[in-house]
Amino acid sequence: MVTNNAMYFSQIHPERDRYVFGPGDTVVAFAQANNMRLRGHTLIWHNMLPSWVAEGKFTREDLAEILKSHITTIVGRYRGKIAEWDVVNEAIEKDGSLRDTFWRRNLGPDYIDQVFRWAHEADPDAALFYNDYDGEGLGVKSDGIYNLVKGMRERGVPIDGVGLQMHLRLEAPPNPKDVADNIRRLGALGLKVDITEMDVRVKLPATAEKLADQARVYSAILNASLSIPGFNALVLWGFTDRHTWITAKFPGYGAPLLFDEDYQSKPAHETMSKGLDRH
Ligand code: G3I
């Protein structure tokens, strides 16, 4: 289970001296009550920044102090209750370079190393991940991610894993062999690899044929990943087509998850269950 929208910077820390812990506490309590492993999402992102941060006029030292305090407060509050953290989200460009974000501009290019160190200090037992999209298979962006995390490992930065978001479009899924090869090379660095936000959007209407194809895409990714050393988890970005970010973001697309809008099991659910049973 993932904390989803509850812990974005703007949601949990909307003003400099005010945190809003209610929604996050609710998710954590639900996970604990139901014995579910919980993933925290996300400490550092260029999106979902509150205006007091994005528009504030801070020195580099002040901003570093603000960020350290933010990370220490949140990771510390949920210490022992959140098993994995997406520490840094989407910091690599599609050409493989380091993205020009608010954090990079104001803290310098080694901000990523620094925030992993702060997160590790706040909860030494949490597994710390770098998380990104469109770097699932092989290519310049996944090379950029690979080089980033390889460098972090070499510098002794406390990173435990890489999250492959896996937001797919039915018409253009990655080659499962490329995904397997990418997981293998990341695993060889001593990192865990989680698929962190999988969904497969379909151009509407979602016919029976498209849903059968969708099931094949889901199971091809699952089957390609399961036996690769380092592969650790597959997490979906929601469970019912009734509640998904796709509807708002991609008009004309939908039906990306394993249960339909009426909470009924879809072909993708059947094939994923069978794939896991076989493993
Ligand atoms: O902050 C407002 C709040 O004041 C208001 O009451 C509420 C009313 O709907 O909206 C709140 O903001 C929303 C926010 O989620 C928090 O709930 C935004 O409108 C909404 O656009 C935002 O969407 C999330 C989005 O990330 C943020 O960019 C989506 O639900 C979430 O699925 C999506 O998830 C991202 C991952 O974090 C990273 N990877 C890509 C993925 C899909 O974009």
Side-chain angles (χ1 to χ4, degrees), residues 116 120 123-130 153 157-162 190-193:
F116 272 81
H120 182 64
D123 185 351
D125 295 326
L128 305 182
F129 279 70
Y130 174 78
R153 291 286 288 165
V157 177
I159 179 172
D160 299 288
V162 174
L191 294 167
K192 297 177 187 179
V193 182

Side-chain angles (χ1 to χ4, degrees), residues 5 8 11 41 45 47-48 89-90 165 167 197 237 245:
N5 292 0
Y8 291 135
Q11 308 301 113
H41 179 85
W45 194 16
N47 278 338
M48 304 306 284
N89 197 38
E90 304 175 2
Q165 292 186 9
H167 292 294
E197 306 182 16
W237 205 236
W245 70 292

Side-chain angles (χ1 to χ4, degrees), residues 240-252:
T240 161
D241 292 340
R242 186 181 286 244
H243 302 292
T244 161
W245 70 292
I246 297 296
T247 330
K249 182 79 180 183
F250 299 102

Side-chain angles (χ1 to χ4, degrees), residues 44-191:
I44 306 296
W45 194 16
H46 54 277
N47 278 338
M48 304 306 284
L49 283 179
S51 53
W52 72 268
V53 172
E55 290 157 25
K57 299 270 176 279
F58 303 111
T59 63
R60 184 170 170 156
E61 290 67 35
D62 279 348
L63 193 64
E65 197 45 50
I66 285 169
L67 191 52
K68 181 177 184 186
S69 162
H70 175 85
I71 290 173
T72 306
T73 302
I74 294 166
V75 177
R77 181 179 183 87
Y78 300 116
R79 182 174 174 159
K81 297 175 179 167
I82 288 188
E84 285 108 8
W85 271 104
D86 291 329
V87 177
V88 173
N89 197 38
E90 304 175 2
I92 295 290
E93 277 291 358
K94 58 172 178 283
D95 67 1
S97 63
L98 194 59
R99 193 193 283 261
D100 178 27
T101 67
F102 170 85
W103 298 114
R104 185 194 173 176
R105 276 193 300 283
N106 291 292
L107 294 176
D110 38 2
Y111 77 96
I112 296 180
D113 290 7
Q114 190 59 70
V115 298
F116 272 81
R117 292 200 169 100
W118 288 331
H120 182 64
E121 277 169 29
D123 185 351
D125 295 326
L128 305 182
F129 279 70
Y130 174 78
N131 189 47
D132 214 326
Y133 63 92
D134 282 356
E136 289 81 10
L138 298 174
V140 280
K141 179 156 181 178
S142 70
D143 287 351
I145 296 168
Y146 175 80
N147 290 330
L148 171 74
V149 299
K150 181 167 182 281
M152 292 169 74
R153 291 286 288 165
E154 287 164 0
R155 292 189 294 278
V157 177
I159 179 172
D160 299 288
V162 174
L164 308 177
Q165 292 186 9
M166 204 68 76
H167 292 294
L168 306 184
R169 187 161 58 92
L170 180 60
E171 299 92 334
N175 181 337
K177 182 178 178 306
D178 287 357
V179 174
D181 287 347
N182 194 30
I183 294 174
R184 190 174 292 109
R185 69 173 172 167
L186 291 165
L189 295 174
L191 294 167

Side-chain angles (χ1 to χ4, degrees), residues 218-239:
Y218 265 109
S219 54
I221 297 295
L222 178 71
N223 294 335
S225 310
L226 272 174
S227 56
I228 310 292
F231 180 70
N232 181 57
L234 189 154
V235 183
L236 299 159
W237 205 236
F239 72 98

